[in-house]
Amino acid sequence: MSQRPSASRTLSSVTPPARPAQSPPRARPASRYAVPAAHRGSVLGDAEAAALSGLVTSSAPLSSGERRLEFERRFARHTGARHALSVTSGTVALELAVHLLDLAEGDEVVATPQTFQASVQPLLSSPATVRFCDIDPVSLNMDPARLEELITDRTRAVVLVHYGGWPADMDRVMALTRPRGITVIEDCAHALGSRYRDRVPGSLADIGCFSFHASKNITTLGEGGMITVGRDDWAERVDRLRSNEADGQYRSAEAAGAPGLLPWMMYSSSAYAKECTSVLRHGTNATLSEAACAVGTVQLDRMDALVARRRAVAARLDEVLARFPQCRVPRPGPGVEHAYHLYTFFVSAGPEVREKLVRGLDERGVQIALRYFPMHLLPEWRARGHRAGECPVAERLWFEEHVNLPCHPGLSDEQVDHLVWALDDALASVVAA
């Protein structure tokens, strides 16, 4: 067994320690796991507390006020998108994005199987046919070569994810879709802090969807989301829907028959100024609170530092894995900057070895959460005709090789040291066996 590194060792040092024959056990903290998974993917501190204090001690509104407008303006600037509209979760952002597609019977949507279910769940209620596209075995993003094979004259949209913070190959995806008029939705839930050829996810396609859940790279007090679009009409539709107004087809109308409402009464000037010819969807209240937006603005300012911490943890893990030829660590090529929302590697010695490694890490106090089970094999998608063998790369990697490790800025230096020790020790034990 290897010796656990000293807690004084910092993340600026990535040289792995020598591994002696034995190490004495260290007392386990009160929690079962010395190194937890990312229950909080970000860090909150004095700046966020000050923003909240300034809001609650002021007379400013707590809903639909200046904090929301500022957060959206700043987010649009960061992504380069024309419009950024905040909502109550990343799931809501994806639901509204799918609604904008106006899908009909006979339409087809190509989606990735390597994602969280929220990316594709809105499509369950759609009349369109969903075709799952297999993934690239290195990045785990949608494989453009497989995408090209799935596109037909009925393809209306593509839904992809920047898996783990590694941007998808967007130039190839857009070269396939844009000439055909196919809308691309990029799920950017993992992507804040990443870059793709000097551009930022959220404006690489037609619609971008972000999550500010507690586990993400920045958070708006546990829940929140953003949708980015370049079209003014889409922005108007999203704004209506999140504000409890119906999305429909309207036309101007004379105000004949209007009751005698006073001019300052709500809707008195507009309710009879147009007619609705069809309702596409009811609205809802998806207003992100002023408190959430105030914290989100501060978190956006801190994002580079938070992602730098993730990259420092990843560098420590890279050096351990480099010593074990049975492990494959994917790394982006030139022009792609990884945000390390997830740290992923592969064990190529067979599923039994992967199983022993995951159990060994758990026994050594490292909490493992493998992400994500192939979407096309969930029961609700199997009920729609999807089967094993549809995405063989995604299936093989998930069931045989895939491992995720904790990699988030909330880990202390001591916890990172423990993680490095546990990974090294567990791998040595598995390989020796």
Side-chain angles (χ1 to χ4, degrees):
M1 295 177 65
S2 66
Q3 185 176 20
R4 305 185 189 194
S6 166
S8 63
R9 191 165 179 269
T10 65
L11 290 177
S12 61
S13 170
V14 294
T15 303
R19 190 159 33 83
Q22 294 186 1
S23 74
R26 177 179 290 178
R28 184 70 58 84
S31 168
R32 179 189 169 196
Y33 292 106
V35 185
H39 303 300
R40 285 195 181 190
S42 187
V43 176
L44 301 170
D46 292 342
E48 289 84 0
L52 288 171
S53 176
L55 172 64
V56 299
T57 57
S58 73
S59 59
L62 296 177
S63 179
S64 302
E66 183 58 37
R67 267 77 170 181
R68 185 180 76 166
L69 294 175
E70 176 62 15
F71 185 36
E72 292 174 348
R73 283 194 294 262
R74 294 278 302 281
F75 203 89
R77 271 204 312 272
H78 167 74
T79 60
R82 182 174 176 84
H83 301 281
L85 299 101
S86 60
V87 289
T88 46
S89 70
T91 299
V92 169
L94 287 157
E95 289 174 355
L96 296 180
V98 169
H99 171 71
L100 293 176
L101 300 175
D102 296 324
L103 296 170
E105 196 77 37
D107 291 341
E108 295 180 355
V109 178
V110 181
T112 179
Q114 183 64 44
T115 186
F116 181 58
Q117 63 197 48
S119 302
V120 295
Q121 193 156 261
L123 294 167
L124 283 169
S125 301
S126 164
T129 298
V130 176
R131 310 186 75 189
F132 284 99
C133 177
D134 212 347
I135 59 174
D136 175 81
V138 178
S139 68
L140 303 189
N141 287 317
M142 182 178 284
D143 186 342
R146 303 288 78 77
L147 171 62
E148 186 171 16
E149 296 171 356
L150 292 174
I151 289 176
T152 72
D153 58 4
R154 296 186 298 276
T155 305
R156 291 287 310 281
V158 171
V159 179
L160 56 79
V161 67
H162 303 300
Y163 177 81
W166 182 331
D169 191 349
M170 295 305 297
D171 284 352
R172 291 179 65 191
V173 169
M174 299 311 292
L176 291 169
T177 56
R178 188 146 281 166
R180 296 174 168 90
I182 298 170
T183 301
V184 177
I185 298 173
E186 47 175 333
D187 183 341
C188 306
H190 301 172
L192 274 174
S194 65
R195 295 186 70 84
Y196 176 81
R197 298 179 181 174
D198 294 324
R199 291 175 288 157
V200 175
S203 61
L204 302 176
D206 301 293
I207 306 173
C209 298
F210 293 83
S211 170
F212 308 131
H213 182 268
S215 64
K216 298 305 189 292
N217 291 13
I218 69 170
T219 186
T220 49
L221 294 177
E223 295 287 355
M226 191 78 74
I227 182 168
T228 55
V229 296
R231 285 174 44 173
D232 295 346
D233 62 325
W234 279 352
E236 182 182 349
R237 291 175 69 184
V238 170
D239 189 40
R240 285 204 305 267
L241 285 167
R242 69 173 179 174
S243 305
N244 258 327
E245 297 181 31
D247 180 28
Q249 301 292 337
Y250 295 89
R251 66 185 181 193
S252 297
E254 296 292 331
L261 299 176
L262 296 174
W264 55 82
M265 287 183 175
M266 184 177 288
Y267 304 122
S268 63
S269 61
S270 61
Y272 285 85
K274 55 187 178 182
E275 291 180 352
C276 179
T277 58
S278 66
V279 174
L280 303 176
R281 173 182 160 145
H282 66 86
T284 187
N285 180 5
T287 304
L288 193 59
S289 74
E290 289 293 280
C293 291
V295 168
T297 302
V298 175
Q299 287 269 288
L300 196 58
D301 285 337
R302 299 181 60 195
M303 183 185 66
D304 288 345
L306 293 168
V307 173
R309 173 73 175 184
R310 289 177 177 273
R311 289 175 177 147
V313 175
R316 294 282 306 274
L317 299 174
D318 282 352
E319 293 219 352
V320 174
L321 292 168
R323 299 200 295 274
F324 294 90
Q326 300 86 352
C327 298
R328 176 169 63 91
V329 183
R331 294 183 179 87
V336 178
E337 297 178 21
H338 201 314
Y340 286 102
H341 173 70
L342 299 176
Y343 184 93
T344 305
F345 72 98
F346 305 97
V347 181
S348 57
E352 298 84 4
V353 174
R354 194 272 299 266
E355 177 73 12
K356 289 179 181 177
L357 174 60
V358 171
R359 290 185 181 277
L361 288 166
D362 186 86
E363 291 166 0
R364 289 163 176 81
V366 176
Q367 186 176 20
I368 300 296
L370 299 181
R371 298 185 172 98
Y372 296 96
F373 186 84
M375 289 294 100
H376 64 292
L377 299 182
L378 290 176
E380 56 268 32
W381 288 106
R382 285 189 280 113
R384 292 187 61 161
H386 297 277
R387 293 291 181 266
E390 190 171 334
C391 298
V393 175
E395 294 166 26
R396 174 178 59 80
L397 292 177
W398 169 259
F399 289 109
E400 298 182 12
E401 300 184 18
H402 187 131
V403 182
N404 295 114
L405 294 173
C407 183
H408 52 93
L411 295 174
S412 67
D413 284 358
E414 182 177 17
Q415 286 175 314
V416 176
D417 289 337
H418 185 103
L419 173 60
V420 168
W421 166 82
L423 178 62
D424 185 65
D425 199 53
L427 277 168
S429 174
V430 169
V431 171

